Amino acid sequence: MFKRIMKGGQKKPSKTDPSDPTPVGPMPTVAAPEVVVPPPPGTIEPLPLFRDVAVTERQNLFIRKLQICCHVLDFSDTLKCIREKEIKRQTLMELVDFIQSGSGKITETCQEEMIKMVSANIFRCLPPAGHENTGQEATDPEEEEPCLEPAWPHLQLVYELLLRYVVSSDTDTKVAKRYIDHSFVLKLLDLFGSEDPREREYLKTILHRVYGKFMVHRPFIRKAINNIFFRFIYETERHSGIGELLEILGSIINGFALPMKEEHKLFLSRALLPLHKPKPVGVYHQQLSYCIAQFVEKDYKLADTVIRGLLKYWPVTNCQKEVLFLGELEEVLEATQAAEFQRCMVPLFRQVARCLNSSHFQVAERTLFLWNNEHIVSLIAQNRTVVLPIIFEALEKNVQSHWNQAVHGLTVNVQKMFLEMDADLFEECQRQYAEREAKAKDLEEQRELNWKRLAEAAAQNGVDMVTA
């Protein structure tokens, strides 16, 4: 058996050994991925205009024009294939006009060829981000210059053609869904990682229209967006299209039927609320805040879940994020009813108290602006016996020692507001605060006295307490 194994082993020369003289037989053929090769100069020729051919020939001409547009040209060199680029651009414009004019209902074959052409042009490997090229540490996404797509003169027209096809009243969804399928939608979603804001804007509009027109794709699209969020939150923290995806979701959430499905509530708690965690939240916070507010306006019972979620991801050292959170908190509280407010007011106002005493004046100032909102003031007034004892100490510290004059003045105004609400409660809180301060002062004096006694005892024994 050993000899047979050795004999069989000698028949297989190493493929990596260049010195082996044994001839190697033909390799088995492996199906290579289809690659669209740019045509050599002179192979793309202009075709006649649609208006110059008979109506019966227009569908065939449409397919021939699509085949020309399947050639992807190199835009890295502006002087390369200039003639072919212009012919393709003019052809794409004709295709867009043909679809937009509704000159004739395009056949199923034409639709299939059109989606093939769109796929050949837009589905591509996106260039890596700037920091990935250099190996340098990632910079703040808000400060980065976007990387613009050089092939945009063609890509824009391809996206426009796809958009016109999706929104056209002549497009039959039963036929179109064979070509705009789950695979196509996933590839569209991958393109949201493009750094070119023009491309993301088109993708946002197209995906929104696809969601509206193809009801069969709706759960799949929501789940796919969910997965993009998960990867962004827990793995990469880098994605160019989070804001655009949230804009689409804002419109989708607005259309949710009541009572809200459990699936949608889970999406709120598992995907949207954790989006407050990543460092670049400032890039997409406006869209995120709108989505969160939509949920609370749709179902006011979700206010407690949302507020507790905000508190869970509340920033500790990033003051700019705190200002954003405070603005969002105000929006949520505006849509909050008394019962939901009472469920979360204790942890909420403990955080508010910490923000009131922030040394960053914008955080303290934005917190005090909450008292400019009539609805929030009414909620606080109804529950003042719980709220005031929590924040009274923070208000007093601001009046006594906050460095910013504007914060000092706003704090005095808030104190006056509470005094007008309930003078007895205010005086009781003041008395309790004075007692706590007196006790704290006594403890401090006692500690100082104990240290003094220890120092004297050590000195009597000849021990230096500083160096010992």
Side-chain angles (χ1 to χ4, degrees):
M1 174 65 76
F2 178 77
K3 288 181 180 179
R4 202 184 314 165
I5 292 171
M6 292 300 293
K7 191 176 179 183
Q10 290 169 0
K11 292 180 183 177
K12 281 192 172 182
S14 172
K15 294 179 183 178
T16 58
D17 187 1
S19 63
D20 196 321
T22 310
V24 180
M27 293 290 290
T29 57
V30 179
E34 185 180 351
V35 178
V36 180
V37 181
T43 57
I44 292 183
E45 295 297 332
L47 294 172
L49 301 174
F50 284 110
R51 66 170 178 265
D52 295 338
V53 299
V55 175
T56 55
E57 291 297 316
R58 287 180 181 174
Q59 297 290 339
N60 289 332
L61 181 59
F62 186 82
I63 291 177
R64 288 169 64 198
K65 286 180 182 287
L66 287 172
Q67 288 169 348
I68 283 180
C69 296
C70 280
H71 294 296
V72 180
L73 301 171
D74 182 10
F75 276 80
S76 60
D77 184 354
T78 55
L79 300 176
K80 192 175 180 181
C81 300
I82 296 175
R83 177 176 172 275
E84 286 79 3
K85 288 174 184 174
E86 182 58 25
I87 291 172
K88 179 176 175 180
R89 190 184 70 83
Q90 292 291 343
T91 306
L92 283 167
M93 289 175 66
E94 291 172 33
L95 291 169
V96 171
D97 291 340
F98 184 77
I99 293 290
Q100 192 171 0
S101 64
S103 305
K105 193 171 183 180
I106 59 174
T107 63
E108 188 173 336
T109 305
C110 288
Q111 293 181 55
E112 183 179 5
E113 289 299 318
M114 182 170 64
I115 297 302
K116 282 182 182 177
M117 185 277 289
V118 168
S119 301
N121 280 274
I122 67 173
F123 296 147
R124 64 206 189 280
C125 290
L126 297 173
H131 72 281
E132 292 175 2
N133 281 331
T134 59
Q136 295 175 355
E137 188 178 344
T139 55
D140 188 342
E142 293 184 71
E143 298 174 3
E144 288 181 4
E145 286 294 323
C147 177
L148 300 180
E149 174 59 54
W152 185 246
H154 286 180
L155 280 178
Q156 180 182 10
L157 293 168
V158 175
Y159 278 123
E160 188 65 31
L161 178 66
L162 177 59
L163 177 60
R164 295 299 166 196
Y165 169 68
V166 171
V167 302
S168 173
S169 56
D170 293 330
T171 302
D172 184 358
T173 53
K174 291 180 182 177
V175 175
K177 72 180 181 182
R178 297 174 196 166
Y179 313 114
I180 300 181
D181 54 8
H182 285 181
S183 174
F184 186 89
V185 169
L186 271 181
K187 290 175 182 176
L188 268 186
L189 283 165
D190 284 341
L191 291 172
F192 275 88
S194 169
E195 289 193 41
D196 194 325
R198 302 169 299 181
E199 182 169 16
R200 297 200 305 271
E201 191 65 25
Y202 260 106
L203 287 164
K204 178 185 74 176
T205 307
I206 290 168
L207 187 65
H208 190 201
R209 295 289 189 169
V210 168
Y211 186 91
K213 191 154 192 167
F214 298 85
M215 293 186 68
V216 68
H217 290 337
R218 289 182 181 182
F220 179 80
I221 291 173
R222 291 197 301 269
K223 187 175 180 181
I225 292 175
N226 202 13
N227 291 336
I228 290 173
F229 288 166
F230 284 158
R231 188 162 183 265
F232 170 71
I233 295 163
Y234 299 111
E235 293 180 23
T236 64
E237 285 202 356
R238 292 192 70 86
H239 194 287
S240 301
I242 298 297
E244 285 80 6
L245 291 171
L246 286 168
E247 280 188 55
I248 297 169
L249 283 170
S251 179
I252 292 172
I253 294 163
N254 196 28
F256 282 165
L258 293 175
M260 200 174 287
K261 292 180 182 177
E262 192 62 28
E263 169 203 345
H264 303 327
K265 295 178 182 178
L266 287 173
F267 176 69
L268 168 67
S269 59
R270 293 180 180 177
L272 287 187
L273 287 172
L275 275 173
H276 290 87
K277 177 186 173 186
K279 187 179 178 182
V281 65
V283 177
Y284 55 82
H285 183 265
Q286 185 179 353
Q287 297 93 328
L288 176 60
S289 180
Y290 177 77
C291 289
I292 297 291
Q294 286 289 304
F295 265 103
V296 179
E297 287 172 14
K298 276 277 176 183
D299 186 353
Y300 66 88
K301 292 181 181 177
L302 292 171
D304 177 47
T305 303
V306 168
I307 291 171
R308 289 181 184 274
L310 283 174
L311 296 177
K312 179 179 178 181
Y313 298 106
W314 201 277
V316 178
T317 58
N318 190 327
C319 296
Q320 293 305 320
K321 275 181 74 172
E322 276 198 274
V323 173
L324 293 175
F325 274 50
L326 286 162
E328 183 177 353
L329 177 63
E330 182 173 357
E331 284 187 48
V332 173
L333 286 172
E334 276 194 77
T336 303
Q337 303 298 317
E340 281 62 46
F341 181 80
Q342 288 169 1
R343 289 194 186 98
C344 61
M345 61 184 173
V346 173
L348 170 61
F349 279 91
R350 283 176 183 158
Q351 181 59 56
V352 167
R354 286 191 285 271
C355 291
L356 284 169
N357 286 149
S358 173
S359 57
H360 195 292
F361 81 95
Q362 288 180 335
V363 175
E365 188 177 56
R366 187 64 187 86
T367 309
L368 289 160
F369 283 161
L370 292 174
W371 274 266
N372 291 341
N373 188 299
E374 290 183 10
H375 180 68
I376 296 174
V377 169
S378 70
L379 291 172
I380 292 171
Q382 292 167 33
N383 301 277
R384 58 187 179 275
T385 54
V386 176
V387 172
L388 184 57
I390 296 172
I391 65 169
F392 188 87
E393 184 174 344
L395 294 172
E396 278 292 320
K397 284 181 178 177
N398 271 7
V399 170
Q400 292 171 12
S401 59
H402 202 284
W403 65 271
N404 185 271
Q405 196 60 38
V407 171
H408 183 276
L410 288 168
T411 305
V412 170
N413 291 340
V414 170
Q415 281 189 323
K416 287 178 182 176
M417 201 178 291
F418 275 112
L419 188 60
E420 290 170 5
M421 282 181 198
D422 193 332
D424 293 339
L425 175 64
F426 189 89
E427 288 170 6
E428 176 62 23
C429 289
Q430 205 165 30
R431 184 186 62 77
Q432 291 177 2
Y433 173 74
E435 286 179 3
R436 286 196 301 272
E437 286 295 296
K439 286 180 182 177
K441 189 176 179 182
D442 289 344
L443 283 172
E444 181 66 24
E445 289 174 355
Q446 186 63 43
R447 186 165 68 247
E448 289 291 335
L449 183 60
N450 289 340
W451 276 111
K452 189 176 179 181
R453 287 172 180 169
L454 279 171
E456 289 172 355
Q460 288 175 3
N461 293 326
V463 179
D464 187 348
M465 289 192 64
V466 176
T467 58

